[in-house]
Amino acid sequence: MIFEFDQISTTELPSSDIVVVGGGPIGIVVAVQLARCGHEVVVLEAGGKTVEPTAQKLNASINDGHSHNGLSEARIRVLGGNSIVWGGTLLPYTPIDFAQRDWVENSGWPLTLQELVPYYDRTAEFLGVEPGIGGDEEIWRRAHVAAPVLSDAIEIVLTRSLRERNLARLFRNDLTGRSNLKLLLHAIATDLVFDNITKCVKAVVIKSINGREARLPAKHFVIACGTIEATRLLLNSAQNDREAPWGRNRWLGCCFQDHLEISAARLLRKRTETFDNIFDSILIAGQKYQPKLRLAERVQEMEGLLNISGVMQFDSSLQHHIDNVKLFVSSVLRGAVPPNLRTIPSHIRVLLKIWGPLIRRYFREHRIFNHSDMGIRLLINCEQVPLRESAIRLDRERRDLLGMPAVRLDWRIDGREINTIVRFCEIVRDAFEKTGIADMQLHPKIATRDISILDECVDSYHQCGGLRMASTFDGGVVDPHLRVHGTANLHVAGAATFPTSGYANCTYTALALALRLCDRVTSYRNA
């Protein structure tokens, strides 16, 4: 059931067991799962059903550190959140991502991969995709290709892609049809009301851009509004209430991270068929599996490196037309009306010269044909060292339309990442040369280990940290079950709780942790 905050009276505000702050991918999954378990749930979404310029103005921020595009481009205040624009790819973390590594300060999660494996599988089932752990061999078999091996230092893994990437659409029936799940649009959480005696949050303060204000009480609160906004909400509420325990936590706002992304090398195929069979995405039953290179854990341990991955980027002068055909096909496969229905004939006409191999590769071999007349690049995503100085802070002098202080992001990069980037590229290059699959020319600054290459790295829109997870108050903001230390009923769901960023997109792991949190909250009721 969906309501507009400004269009209902205070007496009509829905009551609930649980308030979920944020109607993006994490918030939607938390709300739907809890509602399916019988809880009364209210979701607060800062935006509406479509992206609105006024709502987006609330994201105005100051960047004090390394340039970060995601500060403005990857924070979408709309029902569905970033899921309306993301790639929809899921990839689980590896054991080393959770481990305490002597060569990576502030590393170590208060849980292991094995504890999360059942939730990875449940998340995949929840979203309607193949499980992401231990299933790669079967996918390669169904693609009629032996699982490829380049070297024992490099692993080839497959990402999973959602058929329906927009989670507001995927869970439309739950969001609109469940009487125990109520969604408030244009309801912006600005503060938390904490009771120091009971150690409970009593209510969340919500405002609308039009000046409406209300307090919404509940038994439990789950902050799921993205890394920057979740941290901003806790920072602001701590400044408004000196008794709030999270305000005394030395980790609040610290260890902000993202993946460092850069085109690290150019490649020339020598054994074209073999190369394409390794790196062309696989399509089975309408689901896409993209091959990705990952640095083996034994190499990370032996050489003291960070985790890192890479994908092949095929550059084509026809990319705009190819993307439109992909959009058309994906829409048809999920039973939706393609948004580019009228223009698709013109795109198909342009693609006539590659139509034969494209169709053959797609329908006969279940692979995506990659036209690359402009070359092939190795695009890497490197984990960064989590630094306390890399932080999300507030600027009390600059405020948004609602009076909330603006975010000041000071994204710091340590510099040790250069060793990982260089070694990964060297290992991949050597593997290609040894197998004779391709020649690889490294970026000149990578070839010479020029640390200034880090200045050219951009963020991957994989924001995490700021509310890190730890077993104790002295080690982080939330506990292993995502409950804010010092509180009885306040939880944070999302990548803000990650101690380290790992090597992959954060979403799959954040969703798995979110389902684990749902089990925990449900256990409180059943206790």
Side-chain angles (χ1 to χ4, degrees):
M1 301 174 68
I2 301 179
F3 303 91
E4 284 283 350
F5 176 40
D6 272 334
Q7 295 177 8
I8 58 175
S9 66
T10 302
T11 57
E12 293 175 309
L13 284 174
S15 59
S16 64
D17 298 327
I18 303 162
V19 167
V20 178
V21 179
I26 309 300
I28 286 175
V29 166
V30 169
V32 168
Q33 174 62 14
L34 290 174
R36 289 179 181 179
C37 290
H39 295 278
E40 293 286 337
V41 183
V42 171
V43 180
L44 305 177
E45 169 50 49
K49 294 181 180 179
T50 59
V51 179
E52 303 162 356
T54 304
Q56 289 302 111
K57 287 181 180 179
L58 297 175
N59 288 338
S61 306
I62 303 101
N63 191 348
D64 291 326
H66 188 89
S67 178
H68 193 280
N69 297 325
L71 187 59
S72 57
E73 297 175 12
R75 299 163 63 201
I76 304 178
R77 294 173 182 261
V78 67
L79 179 59
N82 289 352
S83 75
I84 71 169
V85 296
W86 72 319
T89 58
L90 307 177
L91 191 62
Y93 279 10
T94 61
I96 201 168
D97 291 318
F98 298 90
Q100 196 284 318
R101 292 166 278 173
D102 294 339
W103 63 96
V104 183
E105 65 225 52
N106 300 320
S107 63
W109 294 45
L111 52 91
T112 66
L113 172 63
Q114 284 308 114
E115 293 176 70
L116 211 53
V117 165
Y119 293 98
Y120 275 128
D121 290 341
R122 277 181 53 185
T123 299
E125 180 182 2
F126 200 76
L127 299 174
V129 302
E130 293 271 355
I133 298 214
D136 283 5
E137 288 274 353
E138 174 62 16
I139 301 304
W140 287 110
R141 188 191 65 79
R142 287 159 66 183
H144 309 294
V145 177
V149 177
L150 285 177
S151 82
D152 61 359
I154 293 290
E155 300 169 355
I156 300 175
V157 296
L158 295 173
T159 67
R160 273 71 176 154
S161 290
L162 301 185
R163 294 182 182 89
E164 174 53 77
R165 299 171 183 177
N166 185 333
L167 297 198
R169 283 203 298 253
L170 182 62
F171 295 106
R172 180 188 293 115
N173 291 340
D174 288 279
L175 296 175
T176 60
R178 287 188 175 273
S179 60
N180 64 330
L181 199 173
K182 300 175 179 67
L183 179 63
L184 277 182
L185 298 179
H186 298 106
I188 303 152
T190 61
D191 203 356
L192 299 168
V193 181
F194 181 72
D195 186 331
N196 198 39
I197 296 175
T198 62
K199 305 302 180 185
C200 288
V201 171
K202 293 296 187 181
V204 57
V205 178
I206 54 177
K207 294 182 180 180
S208 75
I209 291 175
N210 296 325
R212 178 88 183 280
E213 181 175 336
R215 292 189 175 193
L216 202 61
K219 295 178 181 177
H220 295 278
F221 297 84
V222 179
I223 311 301
C225 49
T227 292
I228 292 176
E229 282 306 308
T231 306
R232 181 192 194 192
L233 178 59
L234 264 67
L235 283 167
N236 187 58
S237 60
Q239 291 194 6
N240 293 337
D241 181 359
R242 298 297 180 182
E243 297 297 319
W246 56 88
R248 301 190 298 273
N249 194 298
R250 67 192 183 98
W251 293 99
L252 182 62
C254 297
C255 292
F256 174 85
Q257 301 152 72
D258 209 312
H259 290 129
L260 305 182
E261 180 174 293
I262 193 166
S263 293
R266 289 201 166 272
L267 293 98
L268 178 64
R269 289 175 290 197
K270 296 174 68 177
R271 293 167 54 192
T272 301
E273 183 178 355
T274 301
F275 187 95
D276 292 348
N277 280 337
I278 295 175
F279 293 109
D280 284 355
S281 293
I282 301 169
L283 288 161
I284 297 175
Q287 186 170 313
K288 185 177 85 169
Y289 304 85
Q290 183 182 21
K292 183 186 283 279
L293 299 171
R294 178 175 69 200
L295 187 63
E297 291 194 359
R298 70 165 189 84
V299 179
Q300 296 178 52
E301 293 171 345
M302 184 170 58
E303 300 189 29
L305 302 176
L306 297 158
N307 214 341
I308 186 172
S309 64
V311 295
M312 295 303 154
Q313 189 77 30
F314 298 88
D315 296 328
S316 171
S317 59
L318 305 177
Q319 196 59 49
H320 171 66
H321 306 287
I322 294 171
D323 289 343
N324 269 275
V325 171
K326 289 179 181 178
L327 175 61
F328 176 82
V329 172
S330 65
S331 298
V332 171
L333 288 174
R334 70 169 187 264
V337 177
N340 58 349
L341 186 60
R342 291 185 178 181
T343 61
I344 199 65
S346 63
H347 297 299
I348 290 175
R349 282 195 298 271
V350 173
L351 295 176
L352 282 177
K353 58 184 176 182
I354 65 166
W355 199 246
L358 191 151
I359 292 294
R360 182 176 63 254
R361 191 75 167 139
Y362 188 93
F363 288 101
R364 192 174 74 184
E365 300 167 0
H366 306 293
R367 306 298 290 269
I368 289 181
F369 172 72
N370 288 302
H371 184 251
S372 55
D373 61 329
M374 297 178 67
I376 304 171
R377 292 176 287 128
L378 173 64
L379 186 69
I380 62 171
N381 270 232
C382 183
E383 178 186 22
Q384 69 166 115
V385 177
L387 304 172
R388 280 182 54 84
E389 299 79 16
S390 183
I392 301 168
R393 302 185 179 91
L394 299 183
D395 187 331
R396 304 297 295 186
E397 303 302 317
R398 298 180 62 173
R399 296 176 179 265
D400 64 18
L401 298 173
L402 304 179
M404 283 275 284
V407 166
R408 297 194 74 102
L409 178 63
D410 189 4
W411 184 30
R412 303 282 186 93
I413 299 172
D414 179 74
R416 282 172 283 176
E417 293 83 1
I418 185 67
N419 294 327
T420 298
I421 292 171
V422 170
R423 283 296 294 133
F424 179 71
C425 291
E426 290 174 345
I427 290 169
V428 173
R429 179 197 60 195
D430 294 346
F432 282 146
E433 289 182 355
K434 185 175 181 179
T435 57
I437 294 174
D439 287 331
M440 185 166 138
Q441 182 178 9
L442 301 184
H443 187 298
K445 290 186 178 181
I446 293 177
T448 58
R449 290 182 172 263
D450 185 345
I451 197 170
S452 69
I453 187 66
L454 297 178
D455 296 332
E456 299 180 26
C457 291
V458 297
D459 58 289
S460 303
Y461 302 162
H462 298 165
Q463 303 160 4
C464 61
L467 303 173
R468 61 181 276 125
M469 185 194 318
S471 297
T472 65
F473 182 91
D474 289 337
V477 180
V478 304
D479 70 15
H481 296 286
L482 307 186
R483 182 168 58 184
V484 174
H485 283 297
T487 74
N489 68 340
L490 178 63
H491 299 80
V492 179
T497 64
F498 290 15
T500 51
S501 61
Y503 79 103
N505 182 323
C506 310
T507 306
Y508 195 17
T509 299
L511 289 170
L513 285 167
L515 288 183
R516 181 171 174 267
L517 169 60
C518 291
D519 281 358
R520 183 75 171 182
V521 172
T522 298
S523 73
Y524 296 152
R525 184 187 65 180
N526 297 335

